């Protein structure tokens, strides 16, 4: 009988139903699991489920009964894949579940920032409307979406879905070639050209050694001072202090961030420390988290486990 343990069940909202695996099994779940608790909780486990709990080589080496790691997310950087491949541990992840949720969140941020909704909301809270004594007031620029240029970094499922939404809104959509590329693939523009042309720059690429701090001070100064940056990808894609400096210096007009270099972000994080800026919109890594997207994730998670138990593993990384 398979022993299944979900190490961090609270990463999926309680109102989302996780289906039961279709084979004989024992199931245990924990709201969260600290690094020190992992080995004890997985000691006799054959299938481990983790969203963000780290399973590195030192931990995996102490779990001889483990046969599968089911990652309840797309990102795999919390699991030592090389160790798993070497020792015959199957690792599966979740794919394609947030192709509506993430782009819609990015589009919502884009509208809010282009029209300065947060800035106007803060002005009303601070009594500016009463001071102006007019039926309306204009303390921040208001820019339309139609006709603006949407620059996309990343052309996978999320990038393509974002492009579809952008075109439907009447935007010109351009894709950036890799930063280090010497030539451009068909349908792409040089990285620096996209920076220079974009009214909205939206990031949808993975975090790797090549993309770490992909957007820093040099890149931000190449952008229009009316442009906005939206990051729903990974926190490390953007140099957070450089982003704050660019906002304060007027190098760009606004930024929306759903992801941070460390999560949860501490008070010393530059984004958190400057969260009162009227042109900075922050959300706590929830772009992926519409109810329909999370239910799709939960269903696929169990599908992956069922497929493994049936001897036909899928979504293997």
């Amino acid at each position: 009988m398979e022993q299944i343990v979900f190490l961090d069940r609270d990463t999926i909202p309680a109102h989302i139903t996780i289906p039961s695996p279709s084979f004989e099994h024992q199931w245990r779940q924990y709201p969260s699991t600290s690094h020190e608790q992992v080995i004890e909780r997985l000691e006799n486990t054959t299938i481990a489920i983790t969203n963000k709990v780290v399973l590195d080589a030192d931990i995996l080496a102490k779990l001889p009964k483990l046969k599968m790691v089911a990652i309840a997310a797309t990102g795999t950087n919390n699991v030592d894949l090389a160790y798993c491949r070497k020792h015959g541990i199957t690792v599966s992840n979740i794919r394609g579940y947030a192709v509506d949720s993430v782009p819609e969140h990015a589009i919502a941020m884009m509208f809010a920032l282009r029209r300065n909704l947060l800035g106007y909301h803060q002005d009303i809270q601070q009594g500016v409307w009463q001071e102006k004594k007019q039926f309306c007031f204009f303390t921040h620029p208001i820019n339309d979406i139609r006709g603006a240029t949407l620059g996309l970094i990343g052309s996978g499922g999320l990038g393509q879905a974002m492009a579809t939404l952008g075109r439907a809104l009447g935007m010109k959509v351009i894709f950036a070639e890799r930063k280090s590329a010497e030539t451009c693939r068909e349908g792409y523009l040089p990285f620096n050209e996209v920076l220079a042309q974009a009214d909205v720059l939206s990031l949808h690429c993975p975090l790797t050694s090549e993309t770490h701090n992909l957007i820093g001070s040099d890149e931000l100064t190449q952008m229009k001072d009316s442009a906005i940056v939206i990051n729903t990808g990974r926190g490390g894609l953007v140099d957070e202090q450089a982003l704050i400096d660019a906002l304060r210096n007027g190098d760009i007009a606004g930024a929306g961030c759903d992801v941070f270099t460390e999560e949860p972000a501490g008070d010393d994080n530059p984004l958190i420390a400057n969260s009162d800026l009227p042109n900075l919109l922050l959300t706590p890594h929830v772009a992926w988290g519409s109810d329909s997207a999370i239910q799709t994730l939960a269903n696929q998670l169990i599908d992956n486990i069922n497929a493994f138990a049936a001897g036909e593993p899928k979504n293997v990384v």
Side-chain angles (χ1 to χ4, degrees):
M1 181 184 299
E2 302 291 355
Q3 304 291 320
I4 305 174
V5 173
F6 196 159
L7 291 170
D8 46 359
R9 172 62 175 82
D10 278 3
T11 57
I12 295 179
H15 66 276
I16 299 296
T17 299
I18 300 178
S20 178
S22 60
F23 53 89
E24 188 177 3
H25 68 280
Q26 289 187 345
W27 177 283
R28 284 183 293 131
Q29 62 185 30
Y30 301 93
S32 62
T33 298
S34 70
H35 183 78
E36 293 74 22
Q37 295 172 316
V38 174
I39 294 175
E40 177 186 357
R41 290 181 173 180
L42 295 184
E43 186 175 8
N44 295 308
T45 300
T46 56
I47 299 174
I49 304 173
T50 175
N51 189 314
K52 294 295 181 285
V53 177
V54 173
L55 299 178
D56 57 26
D58 289 341
I59 289 175
L60 293 166
K62 297 179 176 66
L63 303 172
K65 296 183 181 180
L66 190 64
K67 298 187 289 187
M68 181 196 187
V69 175
I71 302 177
T74 299
T76 61
N77 56 304
N78 59 319
V79 177
D80 191 324
L81 299 181
Y83 181 95
C84 290
R85 292 181 188 120
K86 182 177 179 180
H87 293 85
I89 300 172
T90 299
V91 181
S92 294
N93 70 339
I94 308 298
R95 305 178 188 183
Y97 70 99
V99 290
D100 293 324
S101 186
V102 171
E104 287 185 12
H105 193 95
I107 291 289
M109 284 185 150
M110 178 178 71
F111 270 101
L113 291 164
R114 288 281 288 177
R115 303 195 69 85
N116 268 301
L117 301 187
L118 181 59
Y120 279 109
H121 180 77
Q122 290 181 354
D123 285 347
I124 289 177
Q125 287 180 315
Q126 295 163 10
V128 174
W129 205 354
Q130 289 74 15
E131 293 173 6
K132 296 294 185 181
K133 301 186 185 303
Q134 298 183 95
F135 79 96
C136 70
F137 62 92
F138 298 98
T139 49
H140 307 278
I142 299 173
N143 294 299
D144 292 332
I145 297 299
R146 179 172 293 277
T149 297
L150 174 61
L152 295 172
I153 300 178
S155 58
L158 296 178
Q160 294 294 341
M162 188 72 175
T164 298
L165 291 178
R167 293 188 186 104
L169 292 168
M171 302 183 78
K172 175 185 176 182
V173 176
I174 55 177
F175 283 96
E177 182 55 86
R178 294 185 180 90
K179 192 174 183 178
S180 59
E182 296 182 359
T183 59
C184 272
R185 292 166 288 174
E186 184 178 354
Y188 295 78
L189 291 177
F191 186 84
N192 289 343
E193 285 191 23
V194 172
L195 294 181
Q197 292 186 32
D199 297 301
V200 180
L201 185 71
S202 191
L203 281 66
H204 301 279
C205 58
L207 179 61
T208 66
S209 58
E210 292 184 354
T211 61
H212 180 254
N213 282 346
L214 184 70
I215 304 298
S217 57
D218 289 345
E219 290 72 30
L220 291 164
T221 55
Q222 294 179 54
M223 298 185 67
K224 300 175 182 178
D225 59 12
S226 59
I228 62 173
V229 174
I230 297 173
N231 185 12
T232 56
R234 290 289 183 267
L237 296 174
V238 178
D239 183 324
E240 292 168 333
Q241 185 59 58
L243 185 65
I244 293 299
D245 292 342
L247 291 172
R248 291 200 173 276
N249 295 336
D251 294 330
I252 60 172
C257 298
D258 182 59
V259 286
F260 302 78
T261 51
E262 292 186 8
E263 295 173 346
D267 292 339
D268 58 345
N269 180 287
L271 301 178
I272 301 298
N274 292 274
S275 59
D276 59 335
L277 286 173
N279 55 351
L280 176 63
L281 181 56
L282 304 177
T283 52
H285 203 147
V286 293
W288 63 280
S290 69
D291 281 359
S292 60
I294 300 177
Q295 189 62 66
T296 299
L297 179 154
N299 294 344
Q300 190 179 138
L301 173 69
I302 301 306
D303 285 346
N304 287 345
I305 292 173
N306 285 336
F308 170 79
E312 300 177 352
K314 63 181 183 179
N315 293 333
V316 176
V317 293

